[in-house]
Amino acid sequence: MTAETALRRTPLFDAHVRLGGQMVEFAGWHMPVQYQGRGLVAEHEATRTAVGLFDVSHMGEILIEGPGAAVEVNRLVSNDTSKLAEGDACYALLCHDDGGTVDDLYVYRLGAERFLVVVNASNADKDFAYMQKMARKPSLVHNRSDDFAQIAVQGPHATKLLQRVAPGEAIGLPRNKIRVHTFAGRDVLVATTGYTGEAGFELYCAPQSAEALWFALLDAGQDLGVSPVGLGARDTLRLEMGYPLYGHELDDQTSGYEARVGWAIKPKKEGGFVGGEALVRQQSDGLMRKLVGLELVDRGVARADYAVLHEGKLVGSVTSGTHSPTAKKPIALAWVPTGLAVNGTEVHVDVRGQPKRAVVVPFPFVTPGSLFPV
Amino acid sequence: MAIPAELRYTTDHEWARDEGDGTYSVGVTDFAQENLGGVVYVELSAEGTGLAAGGRFGTVESTKSVSEMYAPISGEVVAKNAALDGEPELVNSDPYGAGWMVKIRATASGEFAALMDAAAYEAHVAAGH
């Protein structure tokens, strides 16, 4: 068996091939990076100005349910999930004892003792093993990744499109809610979450329902300018918002405070959480480095792992970079020492041997094209 | 996907056109531009630069990635497409025309004829390269 055939396929693999998806390997999966005849920039712009459809079925789904699940979830993740009512969701981190990040994830409260935790595809097995290890009741934690397909519907026309496929559903919801709806006789979880900065939905459905739902959305949205969107634009969309991508802005050695998602860390919550004490210490000791936004002044594009220089000295590195399709300029996220993490600081990025001038700027880098409530 | 019959091609998806005066225009193919996605910067070797066949003559930055471009034939860069400074997207919209990149005066004979013709290049692309 070759590496190629060992890659996993989502239930939408055939749909991508039919739509001209350029399939690449990502986290062990065959995924479309962009679609022929559209391309990254057109797909990106469709999401900011109309509506984009994303296959995110590769993501992992871990269900934590049963008596004690609410306490268990709150001990495992960094945000305060005791504040979630049924049908609420929040972003959170799964942390090592030393404060490093196992993964970043979304927690959806489906019931009093029933939580859906959605994790990165590349980390799903690691996260499940870690949760089982750290949980007081490992039997509450179930890896259900194979039971879910996921389609994200994102952009200014997302609600209009969803209404056409599932009339009367999900009107007027703010960000971070989840509801059960019925589509073609089957239950679909409709969440007002996403990774683009746009208003929209993430739809969790059974794998066998995914293709019908995908094409129903695509067919119903033709006059709205709907576009399938590959991983290429998914990355540029999240980068314009400054959202971290695990493996770039977050990893086992990096804390959420460094990556500027401290708002999702609640160390004082009742009962604490795994890694919380280390994070409090890190916070009081002061951070060595921080993630900043960079805008290149010179022509060129900063890419991941390029060196960041200050007054000729190596001080950090780029974690992600692109040419922003919305702002139409080169943007990046980068590590710099805390003392340089000040807007307006001038640095250089080593672009293949050429130092290019860049300046520290706040992020998000763009204003999204749509806002909640949907 | 366009593959003009009169051009010759490399395995790296560059094309070359015989201008009939000992010079050859060079660019990237329609297949290449589609895979690159939106081109945002093109850096090209300066006029007067000597290149060996397979030597790097430029870099294309797209939103998606950065790619090096390699000379199909040996020679000297005698012209570069200055229009790409202001309109790099010409590489996407007209890869065989206004999106040309450099003109090379050949210094070795037979290299152009040894490149792939349109049929061979089409087969190369179809084979998933």
Side-chain angles (χ1 to χ4, degrees), chain A residues 75-315:
Chain A
R75 255 193 75 252
L76 286 173
V77 305
S78 65
N79 213 332
D80 189 352
T81 58
S82 72
K83 298 256 166 66
L84 300 179
E86 289 181 30
D88 285 353
C90 72
Y91 175 80
L93 305 173
L94 183 65
C95 302
H96 289 288
D97 267 332
D98 66 0
T101 307
V102 180
D103 202 1
D104 64 337
L105 46 79
Y106 241 85
V107 178
Y108 298 95
R109 187 168 203 167
L110 302 180
E113 298 280 21
R114 185 173 159 82
F115 295 81
L116 177 66
V117 180
V118 177
V119 303
N120 284 297
S122 54
N123 289 336
D125 293 338
K126 176 182 89 165
D127 293 351
F128 176 62
Y130 186 75
M131 288 183 189
Q132 289 246 304
K133 183 178 144 206
M134 303 310 286
R136 290 189 177 140
K137 289 199 214 168
S139 63
L140 301 180
V141 183
H142 309 276
N143 190 348
R144 296 279 302 276
S145 299
D146 293 342
D147 299 340
F148 288 94
Q150 192 193 152
I151 297 170
V153 186
Q154 303 273 301
H157 296 329
T159 304
K160 204 181 285 180
L161 177 55
L162 193 69
Q163 294 296 316
R164 290 182 182 180
V165 172
E169 308 287 23
I171 299 175
L173 287 179
R175 184 188 297 279
N176 287 343
K177 299 292 175 187
I178 188 162
R179 301 284 182 267
V180 183
H181 292 305
T182 305
F183 166 77
R186 287 178 187 273
D187 281 353
V188 175
L189 292 171
V190 177
T192 48
T193 50
Y195 196 43
T196 63
E198 297 299 325
F201 307 92
E202 291 179 305
L203 310 176
Y204 297 88
C205 66
Q208 60 270 30
S209 305
E211 196 174 70
L213 183 55
W214 174 268
F215 281 112
L217 290 161
L218 209 52
D219 292 346
Q222 288 305 310
D223 64 309
L224 299 174
V226 67
S227 174
V229 184
L231 290 181
R234 181 169 162 83
D235 191 47
T236 52
L237 287 158
R238 71 90 194 168
L239 181 49
E240 285 185 341
M241 297 306 296
Y243 295 159
L245 172 61
Y246 195 88
H248 288 255
E249 287 75 31
L250 286 170
D251 58 36
D252 293 306
Q253 283 79 41
T254 302
S255 84
Y257 286 125
E258 294 172 300
R260 304 275 290 272
V261 288
W263 56 269
I265 301 173
K266 302 287 162 56
K268 296 197 181 88
K269 68 179 176 179
E270 195 180 336
F273 66 94
V274 177
E277 287 171 18
L279 285 165
V280 168
R281 270 198 308 279
Q282 189 184 76
Q283 193 65 326
S284 60
D285 291 352
L287 300 174
M288 299 294 286
R289 60 173 188 170
K290 266 190 188 172
L291 193 70
V292 293
L294 293 181
E295 199 178 299
L296 263 66
V297 180
D298 290 334
R299 290 161 56 94
V301 182
R303 308 281 179 185
D305 300 328
Y306 287 6
V308 176
L309 313 167
H310 183 253
E311 293 173 349
K313 288 200 204 86
L314 175 67
V315 293

Side-chain angles (χ1 to χ4, degrees), chain A residues 22 34 36-37 40-41 236 299-301 303 322-323 325 330 352 356, chain B residues 34-35 37-38 40-43 59 61-66 68 85:
Chain A
Q22 295 171 8
Q34 61 178 1
Q36 279 164 29
L40 189 159
V41 174
T236 52
R299 290 161 56 94
V301 182
R303 308 281 179 185
T322 190
H323 187 274
R352 300 182 301 281
K356 305 277 190 183
Chain B
E34 176 143 352
N35 273 281
V40 293
Y41 297 113
V42 181
E43 285 175 4
T59 306
E61 293 268 16
S62 72
T63 304
K64 193 171 116 196
S65 61
V66 54
E68 310 287 2
D85 273 354

